[in-house]
Amino acid sequence: MLATQLKYDLVMFSRELFYMVFSIIIPPVTYIFMGQLFGDNTYAGSLNYAEMYTPSFILLITFSVVFFAFGFDQVVNRTNGVEKRISISPVPKRILLISSILKSIIITSLGFLFIQVIGIVVYGLSFHLLTFLTSYGFFIILNTVLLVISSAIYSLFQEMKSALVFSIIIFQVVMFTGDFSLPVSMMPKFIQAVAQLNPLYHMNHLFIDIWNQQFVFSKNTWISISYILFIFIISLLVLQFSKRKSVK
């Protein structure tokens, strides 16, 4: 039953042009385009473009898939009455949730591999098995955190239109304040302040450090880890509150 539902969810994702554009097309195209502009630059820690931005665009794909194909989907199901039909269907709600989570992990994992292959073929990114496994393990942790945050945020929406507007706006905000495009350090002070409130900014820098084996416990990493854990706990509380509210 789970395999059948998962196959159905993956097929439905591939048919959604909105999800495909924001999740599968824009990040790789931007990764290649940015590389043509800044491919010769050297970044902090003596990193080249591929070492700096490959994990960043993997995380951007992960964010896009989780927020659009997982979180936004919840609002669509809620507003279209799918959730009510699910409650009386023979397919357990738990199976649908697990399928949706697995769908997100599978698609983001493909994005992980896709961006890395582009980095290797186009920018000569080196491949090391141990680094790959360590990075992928941390990537799964980030996936889990984003799934919880996404579910909590979209549990607050009751209308699809408002959720759609929010999704488009938050994608732009994350792009500009998460260090996915132009470096935040080059932007105005107020943008840098907003970036510090963006959990994706902190996840991005932790992922870059893990990817390039430069992770050390410092003041900045502790701040990032603590802030992400704080957002994660708040998200769990929001989900718990939403669950109790729906039961009532």
Side-chain angles (χ1 to χ4, degrees), residues 104-147:
S104 298
I105 292 176
I106 289 172
I107 296 170
T108 55
S109 295
L110 291 174
F112 182 103
L113 295 173
F114 184 41
I115 293 293
Q116 184 164 29
V117 168
I118 292 176
I120 292 171
V121 173
V122 179
Y123 301 113
L125 181 69
S126 59
F127 176 84
H128 302 286
L129 182 59
L130 181 59
T131 303
F132 172 83
L133 294 175
T134 304
S135 300
Y136 186 74
F138 188 69
F139 162 81
I140 293 298
I141 294 174
L142 294 181
N143 244 303
T144 303
V145 173
L146 285 173
L147 283 166

Side-chain angles (χ1 to χ4, degrees), residues 153-178:
I153 290 175
Y154 283 98
S155 69
L156 303 175
F157 289 93
Q158 300 301 322
E159 295 183 0
M160 187 170 62
K161 288 183 179 179
S162 58
L164 178 60
V165 172
F166 168 81
S167 300
I168 295 173
I169 292 175
I170 200 66
F171 182 83
Q172 300 300 321
V173 171
V174 166
M175 273 287 291
F176 284 102
T177 64

Side-chain angles (χ1 to χ4, degrees), residues 29-170:
V29 169
T30 307
Y31 175 61
I32 295 172
F33 175 74
M34 291 277 293
Q36 303 308 308
L37 296 177
F38 307 109
D40 296 328
N41 290 5
T42 301
Y43 300 88
S46 300
L47 301 177
N48 59 34
Y49 173 80
E51 293 168 335
M52 181 74 178
Y53 280 100
T54 299
S56 294
F57 279 93
I58 288 173
L59 183 60
L60 183 60
I61 287 179
T62 303
F63 163 78
S64 303
V65 171
V66 169
F67 269 66
F68 290 119
F70 179 75
F72 181 72
D73 250 7
Q74 293 181 2
V75 183
V76 173
N77 292 338
R78 193 178 306 128
T79 55
N80 289 342
V82 174
E83 283 190 351
K84 291 183 179 180
R85 292 196 294 271
I86 288 173
S87 63
I88 59 175
S89 71
V91 181
K93 189 174 182 180
R94 178 173 57 85
I95 293 294
L96 296 173
L97 177 60
I98 294 173
S99 175
S100 185
I101 292 172
L102 289 176
K103 174 194 69 177
S104 298
I105 292 176
I106 289 172
I107 296 170
T108 55
S109 295
L110 291 174
F112 182 103
L113 295 173
F114 184 41
I115 293 293
Q116 184 164 29
V117 168
I118 292 176
I120 292 171
V121 173
V122 179
Y123 301 113
L125 181 69
S126 59
F127 176 84
H128 302 286
L129 182 59
L130 181 59
T131 303
F132 172 83
L133 294 175
T134 304
S135 300
Y136 186 74
F138 188 69
F139 162 81
I140 293 298
I141 294 174
L142 294 181
N143 244 303
T144 303
V145 173
L146 285 173
L147 283 166
V148 172
I149 294 174
S150 172
S151 187
I153 290 175
Y154 283 98
S155 69
L156 303 175
F157 289 93
Q158 300 301 322
E159 295 183 0
M160 187 170 62
K161 288 183 179 179
S162 58
L164 178 60
V165 172
F166 168 81
S167 300
I168 295 173
I169 292 175
I170 200 66

